[in-house]
Amino acid sequence: LSIQSIFLTLSKSIREASVDFPVDFCCPVFDQQQVIEKGQEIFSMLKNLVLFFCQQPKNKENMLVLDIHSGSSATEIMICSKGFLFSDSLIEKIENVNFGYSEILNFPELLNYYATKKIMNKLNGNVQFMLLNEEEVVVLMTVPRIAVQTGF
C-alpha cells in the first residue's frame, strides 16, 4: 500500500468514527506515492490507533498528524495529536507496558489501543506512547523491515 492510500482510507475511517467533534487529520509526507513494506498490516495497526483517538473526548480544535518514513532497516511511523483529552486512569493503563485483555474488560476504551499493540507485536515492532502535556500526545512506532538473506 502507498502512504497516500493509507492516509485516504484512514481519513474516511476517522470521519465515520469521530465522536463529539470532527478530527483535523493530515499527512505532511512529501512522497505519498511511496509503497510501504507490510502495508496492509501497518494500515490495520494505524486504523486501530486512529480509532482509539477518535473515541476519546476532544476539544473542538484538535489535530492528528501522520508521518511515515521507510528506511533501509525499518519503517518509522509517528502520530502527533493535539486537543485529545485522556483520563488519568486511561494514561496509567497505556503506560503499563504489559496491560492485557483483562484490562480491556474494565476499560473497553482500550480495545483499539490493545489491538494496535497486538498487531505491532506480530510485526516485531514497538509502540511508544508519550504524553507531552495534558493535550499533546506523540505515538512513535517502528516496524523492522524484512531481513534479506545473503549467501557467501
Side-chain angles (χ1 to χ4, degrees), residues 27-41:
C27 180
V29 175
F30 179 71
D31 181 11
Q32 291 197 6
Q33 299 306 314
Q34 182 181 36
V35 174
I36 299 299
E37 185 175 296
K38 304 177 187 175
Q40 194 61 49
E41 294 90 346

Side-chain angles (χ1 to χ4, degrees), residues 92-149:
E92 183 181 317
K93 293 294 181 193
I94 290 169
E95 289 177 342
N96 176 3
V97 176
N98 297 317
F99 84 86
Y101 188 73
S102 60
E103 279 85 4
I104 293 173
L105 297 175
N106 295 318
F107 288 88
E109 60 271 31
L110 283 173
L111 179 63
N112 286 305
Y113 188 71
Y114 178 76
T116 297
K117 286 184 65 161
K118 292 298 273 184
I119 294 168
M120 191 56 90
N121 286 341
K122 182 180 172 188
L123 293 170
N124 295 317
N126 67 29
V127 180
Q128 283 184 294
F129 191 93
M130 300 182 308
L131 186 67
L132 303 181
N133 59 50
E134 63 185 35
E135 287 189 19
E136 290 184 75
V137 171
V138 173
V139 183
L140 297 174
M141 296 151 279
T142 306
V143 179
R145 296 193 58 151
I146 297 171
V148 177
Q149 297 291 331

